[in-house]
Amino acid sequence: MSAQKAPTNEMQRLTFWERIYLPEIARGMGLTFKQMFKPTFTRQYPEERWEPEGSYRGRPVLVMEEDGERCVACGLCSRVCPALAIEVRAGETTKEKERFPELFEINMLRCIYCGFCEEVCPEEAIVMSKDYELVFSSQAEGVFGKDKLLVPVAQLQERLEFLRQYR
Amino acid sequence: MPQIIIDGQYIEAAPGKTIIEAALDNGITIPHFCWHPALTVAGNCRMCLVQVGSHKKDTDGSLMFDPSGAPVVNWIPKMQIACATPVADGMIVDTVSKKTEETQESIMEFLLINHPLDCPICDEAGQCKLQEYAFTHSAGKSRFDEQKNHKDKRVPLGPQVMFDGERCISCSRCIRFADEIAKQPVLTFVRRGDKVTIETFDNTQFDSPYSMNVIDICPVGALTSMDFRFKARVWEMSFTDSICNGCARGCNVKLGVMNNELLRIEPRTNMHVNTYWMCDHGRLAPKVLVENDRISEPMVRRNGVLTGTTWDEALREAATLLQGVKAHDVAILGSAHASNEDNYALAKFATSVLKTPHVDFIKHNDPTFGDTMLKVNDVAANGIGAHSVGIHPASGGATSDQLASKITSGAIKALVVMADDVTTQSTQLAEAAASLSALIVIASNVSATSHMAHVVLPLSSFAESEGTFTNTMHRVQHFEAALVTKENERTMGLKMSRWDKFGAPNDRWTHGSRRNSRSGWRIVQQLANAMGAQWSYANAEAVFADLAGHVALFNGMTYELLDQYQGLVLGKAATPEPVGVIYESHVLKPN
Ligand code: SF4
Ligand code: SF4
Ligand code: SF4
Ligand code: SF4
Ligand code: FES
């Protein structure tokens, strides 16, 4: 070791050029300047919307066929939901599948978009949609009933195909 | 006694028993569908096939053992059905061998050939024997890819039972129950092979008062309850052990609750009381009483009208009214519908606080109700209990028959009625009661009596409180609260279903009502304390401990012992009968 004293604070550790700071400012400006000519990634939301892929897990929705929902109110999604977001109450129909959801509600204040409901559903009746824009102004509005949950099967093709790859 | 070996375990089997019975007695369950301990053996499902053999003997007649010391077995070439093969000395049975396993898997594959596999729709899912064995005894794959058979799916067999032909596995349990237990032989198989189904004979229907038991014993979801269909999945309910209050038999039951609503009552095996069954009345009627026409809040009469008020206010009013009359002018009506605890508290209130001899209860006899199976004519759950804990007139006291005339003559001016309606005693009593200067009613349901009352105190029903009933065979049986009330909310946490437990106010599904009712003993205690007594029972168990210490017939009883022995007989707590083998065909697991 030399006789020179080891630096004890930040000031002593810096060289002269580092201490006057000007070269660093110039370097920073240079970087900023360079970025200005690169392509931008920022999106002008909401004018410019992002359309997710089929793999995206937006809010869970119920699949609606021509003759009504696919759901048979088996209650498995409600059972598996870690956030206890789903309530299903079954009723009886005269259709071949005797059961249907008289009431189906998802409390979107509870849902954590885990997709377990979709995974457990034996009827492929609940799927994660591409819808990520959820706005409500009261707690009561956050509970979605069948009116908001049912989505025609045609609009959910991409997700259904995505899921089939893994069946 | 024949000695047999099942899966290497030496077993002493009673002679005449079948393999499946001997196994069950020793805690081994052999998979089965059609066998039921209370029904004759049909031997048609073949699920119970096991390997049976005998110990091989050497030429010199000595038993042969392999190098590891295990017996060398002469297996019978064909598998035997455990439900119909009687045990014989020296028999060796293997219920877990590769061959047995393969056989079980084949039987499952066969049974599932035409089974619709609509578990998501089926009410049985979650407590289905077929579903259970599909996990434990099936290969999980089917070689059958042809079109499945279709049969009628919604056929009412009677007023309470709906039949689904596709789900039926033709075990004939329902047919045998109708023939042998319900003694109403109207069910039969029709057609053959994969077209076989069940029908009632022409112009008959299965409307036995015990018809709904076939729903429980049906191993699959082929028989469903018209009353319950699709109300809830089994796993969404919590099940609490209770006692039916439909009549004095006191059948052991389980109460199925979801969203704090009583949805289903089903039997619980107690070999000393109801064995495996209960009557349809017991499944349907108590439920209605728990859910309908309940008194929702304490009420006092103001300017001639019953007006809702707080508990404190109502209790104060009741105490003031009772203090306004002389001790001998007050009569107490306990109840054959209320628990031993509630009646004991009321009897104690009469003797130590009010000091009146006029204590009795109304007897409920319906000569048309009883039968030779379970139902008895005493249609209240606890008449014997009420009497034994002290609800009977002291010397000089009026009986319930004498009440009407005593009131009209002015000898009795005030009446406290618990859990009963005076019109069920006589119309005279009802008319007389209208002229009382104080009528205090502690009751669950709205009745003619509660309409006349000066003070009404809402009582928890048997489903909302803990206690004991004493049945017609003098057996004291313990029941627990299944529904949450404002009173027991803090102690119910563990028993509530998952949804009830974790609900928050912004979840609509927790909006099952919490009734503002209290247990009978607590109401009596609060009334006694409002009149200067110093009672301090913390819970029903404390009341029972006091009762067991003071009433000789109950000496030695505790809730723990009652649970352990599924009830104890009055005066015989020291010599309990053993519980015996409890067979449960298929239940929600873990329960
Ligand atoms: S996505 Fe997850 S949290 Fe949301 S409803 Fe489905 S299971 Fe529940
Ligand atoms: S799991 Fe599927 S079929 Fe079952 S209740 Fe949920 S959405 Fe309906
Ligand atoms: S209806 Fe049920 S109990 Fe009757 S034969 Fe069919 S499976 Fe067995
Ligand atoms: S026999 Fe009596 S105790 Fe048993 S279920 Fe019927 S009503 Fe209830
Ligand atoms: S249980 Fe033995 S054949 Fe069905």
Side-chain angles (χ1 to χ4, degrees):
Chain A
M1 269 292 209
S2 71
Q4 202 187 343
K5 252 173 69 185
T8 56
N9 62 30
E10 199 64 17
M11 244 355 215
Q12 288 168 4
R13 248 195 305 271
L14 296 179
T15 63
F16 171 75
W17 287 111
E18 280 169 343
R19 248 180 288 160
I20 63 164
Y21 209 61
L22 284 173
E24 292 304 309
I25 290 178
R27 227 169 52 196
M29 297 291 275
L31 196 70
T32 311
F33 204 63
K34 222 159 76 196
Q35 289 299 327
M36 286 161 87
F37 298 100
K38 285 197 173 160
T40 54
F41 290 101
T42 328
R43 206 180 287 265
Q44 296 303 312
Y45 182 83
E47 289 82 28
E48 227 182 302
R49 274 190 90 263
W50 169 61
E51 196 55 25
E53 301 294 306
S55 61
Y56 184 76
R57 294 205 308 261
R59 78 172 172 103
V61 297
L62 289 176
V63 181
M64 182 163 70
E65 313 244 33
E66 277 108 67
D67 59 344
E69 63 275 287
R70 270 189 192 172
C71 170
V72 295
C74 72
L76 289 184
C77 51
S78 164
R79 169 75 241 192
V80 80
C81 177
L84 291 162
I86 307 179
E87 174 175 19
V88 191
R89 289 288 178 86
E92 188 165 358
T93 70
T94 46
K95 287 193 214 145
E96 199 205 327
K97 290 180 175 180
E98 303 162 277
R99 244 181 129 92
F100 84 107
E102 221 163 52
L103 175 122
F104 198 113
E105 282 183 351
I106 303 185
N107 187 342
M108 293 313 298
L109 292 159
R110 275 184 172 270
C111 176
I112 54 169
Y113 306 90
C114 63
F116 282 10
C117 48
E118 169 187 70
E119 195 172 331
V120 80
C121 180
E123 306 284 328
E124 217 172 54
I126 190 166
V127 293
M128 305 306 276
S129 67
K130 293 181 177 180
D131 187 1
Y132 52 85
E133 293 161 313
L134 288 145
V135 188
F136 19 81
S137 52
S138 73
Q139 291 199 333
E141 245 179 73
V143 181
F144 285 14
K146 271 184 10 178
D147 53 332
K148 290 204 188 124
L149 291 175
L150 281 169
V151 173
V153 61
Q155 289 174 32
L156 300 165
Q157 274 319 316
E158 207 178 327
R159 180 70 183 175
L160 290 169
E161 270 150 36
F162 169 78
L163 291 173
R164 288 212 182 105
Q165 295 170 44
Y166 301 97
R167 292 270 141 160
Chain B
M1 277 225 274
Q3 266 209 340
I4 62 167
I5 304 175
I6 302 183
D7 303 339
Q9 188 180 332
Y10 284 80
I11 281 171
E12 293 268 354
K17 290 230 168 185
T18 55
I19 297 175
I20 206 169
E21 286 169 338
L24 189 71
D25 289 348
N26 289 279
I28 302 169
T29 309
I30 298 175
H32 61 278
F33 287 110
C34 68
W35 179 78
H36 188 286
L39 304 174
T40 52
V41 174
N44 61 23
C45 74
R46 319 309 283 183
M47 190 64 201
C48 66
L49 284 169
V50 288
Q51 261 186 303
V52 178
S54 56
H55 206 150
K56 199 168 186 169
K57 286 191 177 128
D58 224 337
T59 38
D60 61 357
S62 65
L63 295 174
M64 283 168 72
F65 290 91
D66 68 11
S68 71
V72 179
V73 188
N74 239 343
W75 294 114
I76 303 177
K78 269 187 160 181
M79 311 281 287
Q80 305 292 309
I81 50 173
C83 68
T85 312
V87 293
D89 202 27
M91 187 180 250
I92 297 177
V93 179
D94 200 327
T95 78
V96 287
S97 66
K98 186 94 197 99
K99 195 167 165 195
T100 314
E101 210 172 90
E102 276 169 9
T103 314
Q104 288 164 343
E105 284 171 5
S106 317
I107 298 289
M108 281 304 292
E109 190 180 0
F110 173 72
L111 286 176
L112 290 173
I113 283 181
N114 277 310
H115 199 80
L117 298 183
D118 57 354
C119 305
I121 299 172
C122 177
D123 258 351
E124 192 85 351
Q127 56 169 7
C128 171
K129 226 173 166 56
L130 192 65
Q131 210 178 29
E132 183 188 329
Y133 289 170
F135 279 97
T136 52
H137 300 293
S138 145
K141 268 211 163 67
S142 175
R143 285 165 290 178
F144 185 84
D145 48 19
E146 287 82 356
Q147 191 73 35
K148 293 198 182 221
N149 251 349
H150 285 292
K151 296 178 190 170
D152 289 341
K153 281 189 85 69
R154 266 170 278 211
V155 191
L157 295 183
Q160 300 300 343
V161 184
M162 185 79 98
F163 173 66
D164 182 324
E166 290 187 349
R167 293 191 196 132
C168 174
I169 57 165
S170 306
C171 72
S172 84
R173 271 184 172 188
C174 54
I175 301 178
R176 282 174 288 148
F177 178 88
D179 293 358
E180 298 159 15
I181 311 281
K183 303 272 191 302
Q184 194 190 28
V186 294
L187 300 181
T188 182
F189 283 129
V190 289
R191 293 183 280 283
R192 336 200 86 211
D194 62 1
K195 303 276 186 305
V196 69
T197 188
I198 289 176
E199 278 178 12
T200 49
F201 289 109
D202 283 353
N203 304 317
T204 62
Q205 54 168 344
F206 186 48
D207 56 2
S208 146
Y210 295 91
S211 68
M212 291 170 87
N213 288 302
V214 295
I215 301 162
D216 300 331
I217 57 171
C218 177
V220 292
L223 299 173
T224 50
S225 155
M226 302 252 195
D227 174 59
F228 179 80
R229 262 167 89 83
F230 306 150
K231 288 243 177 78
R233 318 277 15 216
V234 276
W235 60 83
E236 289 173 345
M237 292 183 280
S238 60
F239 287 96
T240 308
D241 289 357
S242 189
I243 304 295
C244 174
N245 71 349
C247 80
R249 172 71 61 181
C251 294
N252 289 211
V253 296
K254 281 185 269 188
L255 305 182
V257 170
M258 183 182 80
N259 278 352
N260 213 30
E261 190 187 340
L262 180 55
L263 292 182
R264 179 156 116 180
I265 303 181
E266 55 187 45
R268 181 161 56 91
T269 309
N270 182 336
M271 296 314 284
H272 300 294
V273 180
N274 53 312
T275 64
Y276 312 97
W277 323 118
M278 71 183 292
C279 76
D280 293 0
H281 173 82
R283 289 181 201 251
L284 304 172
K287 210 164 59 120
V288 177
L289 282 178
V290 169
E291 296 296 344
N292 297 356
D293 297 330
R294 291 295 296 271
I295 295 168
S296 56
E297 54 178 351
M299 288 183 285
V300 293
R301 198 164 286 279
R302 296 254 178 273
N303 306 323
V305 256
L306 277 176
T307 330
T309 181
T310 62
W311 273 98
D312 287 346
E313 178 67 30
L315 286 162
R316 230 184 348 257
E317 177 91 9
T320 316
L321 283 173
L322 289 175
Q323 277 158 342
V325 286
K326 285 203 291 296
H328 268 66
D329 295 351
V330 188
I332 301 276
L333 274 181
S335 172
H337 295 303
S339 67
N340 293 323
E341 288 76 357
D342 296 357
N343 280 305
Y344 175 72
L346 199 60
K348 187 170 162 183
F349 178 63
T351 47
S352 70
V353 180
L354 291 173
K355 307 203 168 50
T356 172
H358 309 302
V359 184
D360 206 358
F361 69 95
I362 300 172
K363 282 100 205 147
H364 295 277
N365 246 299
D366 177 358
T368 61
F369 187 77
D371 61 20
T372 51
M373 198 179 149
L374 292 173
K375 293 158 83 175
V376 293
N377 288 341
D378 182 355
V379 288
N382 198 32
I384 289 171
H387 187 269
S388 2
V389 300
I391 298 289
H392 49 73
S395 69
T399 64
S400 56
D401 307 334
Q402 296 161 347
L403 263 186
S405 61
K406 291 252 179 184
I407 296 172
T408 344
S409 73
I412 287 173
K413 300 198 177 65
L415 179 64
V416 180
V417 188
M418 181 194 268
D420 223 326
D421 179 9
V422 290
T423 46
T424 58
Q425 170 72 31
S426 64
T427 42
Q428 289 91 314
L429 180 57
E431 279 160 23
S435 68
L436 286 162
S437 68
L439 177 59
I440 317 275
V441 175
I442 305 168
S444 314
N445 298 82
V446 176
S447 69
T449 312
S450 76
H451 284 311
M452 290 190 286
H454 297 102
V455 179
V456 181
L457 302 165
L459 176 70
S460 290
S461 68
F462 81 111
E464 288 142 353
S465 45
E466 185 169 24
T468 53
F469 286 142
T470 312
N471 82 351
T472 183
M473 295 121 92
H474 294 210
R475 197 179 187 85
V476 182
Q477 306 191 92
H478 178 211
F479 59 89
E480 289 175 48
L483 294 174
V484 182
T485 61
K486 291 196 173 141
E487 179 199 14
N488 68 11
E489 200 154 17
R490 299 183 60 182
T491 53
M492 284 292 287
L494 274 178
K495 254 185 263 161
M496 291 151 81
S497 71
R498 178 171 174 248
W499 284 267
D500 283 331
K501 218 180 312 192
F502 299 112
N506 68 347
D507 296 312
R508 296 191 200 181
W509 36 261
T510 54
H511 287 194
S513 63
R514 304 247 188 295
R515 292 192 184 90
N516 188 12
S517 60
R518 293 183 181 174
S519 309
W521 60 266
R522 193 187 299 274
I523 299 176
V524 176
Q525 164 164 301
Q526 286 168 333
L527 193 53
N529 290 352
M531 294 177 71
Q534 302 253 315
W535 296 7
S536 56
Y537 298 123
N539 47 33
E541 195 163 6
V543 185
F544 190 75
D546 188 17
L547 156 64
H550 284 95
V551 181
L553 287 172
F554 288 82
N555 280 173
M557 292 187 189
T558 61
Y559 280 177
E560 204 178 324
L561 286 175
L562 292 180
D563 290 342
Q564 186 181 337
Y565 290 103
Q566 291 196 326
L568 294 167
V569 178
L570 282 181
K572 293 192 186 147
T575 51
E577 306 148 282
V579 166
V581 180
I582 299 291
Y583 168 81
E584 277 189 317
S585 177
H586 46 295
V587 288
L588 177 66
K589 287 173 194 161
N591 193 356

